[in-house]
Amino acid sequence: MIEPAFILVRPQMGENIGAAARAMLNFGLTRMRIVAPRDGWPNPKAVAMASGAGRLLDQAGLFPDVAAAIGDCDYVFATTARPRELVKPIVTPERAMEMARVMAAEGKKVGVLFGPERAGLENEDVALANAIVTVPVNPDFPSLNLGQCALLMGYEWRRQTVEVAPEVMELARTEFAARVEVEKLADHFEERLEAAGFFFPETKAANMRLNLRNMWARLGLTRAEVQTFHGMLRQIAYRLRQQDQKGK
């Protein structure tokens, strides 16, 4: 599958080119193209900012204009936060990278245009694209830094191409408690609560026990946590016995 090319159009600061390279490599993207950089190329400030992603800059293609940079692309997205008086599909980064994944799987080449820091892409640049990518940013402050924009698009590309669980429980060298272990903990708690006179009045006791059992099942306790609760209960009971003995 051919990954999309990130095309930086007339970037003004080497640091931002380096930041874009880092953002790309964070999400497995390596095809960078640079169009007419203001401060020339290569740029030592870009190399310094790229840090471990310097190889992207070494392999980056240098082009005189947008038309040349997208010459081999089958489909091109233009990123912009400003409204354009052009009739084009407008998609979110998520939808854009979903489309890019499908096209890449078919062997097609996709390009993503990023404009210069100060004013973004010109209408002449956007006119060469097939679709516009925009995000619901704050209308009073819509401008995104070049590195931020590359990071956002790179993240959405990665989400489309790598299976990422929306939630992962880090168990820290333990594992979830078995159901029987949780039931024994519930028994232990009920035993202590019964001794303390918690289940009162008698008419509500059954429902109170049911609610407690439901709570224990819902918590998703680890074995270490179950043992901690048992230890807490034993210590409380021990201290209460000591106090009773002293009172006598």
Side-chain angles (χ1 to χ4, degrees), residues 87-109:
V87 179
K88 288 186 185 293
I90 300 176
V91 296
T92 64
E94 180 180 16
R95 175 58 178 157
M97 292 299 95
E98 180 184 16
M99 295 168 63
R101 177 183 57 79
V102 172
M103 288 185 279
E106 296 173 350
K108 295 180 179 179
K109 294 182 179 180

Side-chain angles (χ1 to χ4, degrees), residues 37-115:
R38 184 190 66 182
D39 297 335
W41 195 256
N43 188 310
K45 292 183 179 179
V47 175
M49 187 66 185
S51 187
R55 64 186 177 87
L56 265 72
L57 302 180
D58 295 336
Q59 300 166 2
L62 184 63
F63 297 85
D65 53 45
V66 173
I70 65 173
D72 66 338
C73 294
D74 298 295
Y75 199 94
V76 177
F77 294 98
T79 62
T80 178
R82 294 189 288 116
R84 307 287 179 160
E85 295 179 358
L86 298 169
V87 179
K88 288 186 185 293
I90 300 176
V91 296
T92 64
E94 180 180 16
R95 175 58 178 157
M97 292 299 95
E98 180 184 16
M99 295 168 63
R101 177 183 57 79
V102 172
M103 288 185 279
E106 296 173 350
K108 295 180 179 179
K109 294 182 179 180
V110 176
V112 183
L113 298 175
F114 299 86

Side-chain angles (χ1 to χ4, degrees), residues 103 122 137 150 171-172 182 215-216 245 247:
M103 288 185 279
E122 299 292 339
V137 293
L171 293 177
V182 176
M215 180 192 73
W216 292 121
Q245 291 171 359

Side-chain angles (χ1 to χ4, degrees), residues 21-39:
R22 291 186 65 174
M24 289 175 63
L25 195 56
N26 280 152
F27 298 105
L29 291 161
T30 58
R31 298 178 65 223
M32 174 182 279
R33 298 179 181 183
I34 304 172
V35 176
R38 184 190 66 182
D39 297 335

Side-chain angles (χ1 to χ4, degrees), residues 166-231:
E167 180 179 343
V168 177
M169 179 67 73
E170 177 58 60
L171 293 177
R173 299 188 299 277
T174 186
E175 57 187 5
F176 284 114
R179 188 170 69 174
V180 65
E181 293 173 313
V182 176
E183 289 176 352
K184 288 181 179 179
L185 174 62
D187 291 339
H188 192 177
F189 250 89
E190 287 186 21
E191 176 188 340
R192 300 302 182 191
L193 291 173
E194 181 71 46
F198 177 77
F199 298 111
F200 180 85
E202 183 62 30
T203 54
K204 295 184 178 181
N207 194 52
M208 294 168 73
R209 286 188 171 89
L210 178 63
N211 288 337
L212 283 171
R213 294 282 173 162
N214 183 56
M215 180 192 73
W216 292 121
R218 191 177 68 247
L219 288 179
L221 298 170
T222 66
R223 284 184 166 173
E225 290 168 339
V226 166
Q227 292 305 314
T228 298
F229 273 116
H230 278 301

